[in-house]
Amino acid sequence: MVAPPLRLAAHPGAIEVAIEDPSPRLPRARTPDLVDGTGGFGWHMLNDLAHHVLVTPGPEGGKTVRALLPR
């Protein structure tokens, strides 16, 4: 499995994190799975920690998720 491209950029007072995802499905909050380990933690965590979150569709499908995190 190849990890998706991750980009980081420093801004005054914040760090921008951008990750590409080949799936066109929008991220969604779901109940974390504490039994089978299938996830459900990331979207909650990202929205709790970030100043701003933006999801943009990719030019050839997929999407990029960007988050502005406090420094």
Side-chain angles (χ1 to χ4, degrees), residues 20-26 55-64:
E20 294 177 15
D21 180 350
S23 170
R25 289 182 48 188
L26 293 177
V55 180
T56 54
E60 298 177 18
K63 62 186 168 294
T64 300

Side-chain angles (χ1 to χ4, degrees), residues 37-56:
T38 60
F41 295 93
W43 193 243
H44 293 284
M45 192 181 318
L46 182 62
N47 282 286
D48 285 347
L49 294 173
H51 288 308
H52 184 71
V53 178
L54 178 66
V55 180
T56 54

Side-chain angles (χ1 to χ4, degrees), residues 4-22:
L6 172 71
R7 293 183 307 279
L8 303 172
H11 299 284
I15 301 293
E16 180 181 351
V17 179
I19 189 162
E20 294 177 15
D21 180 350

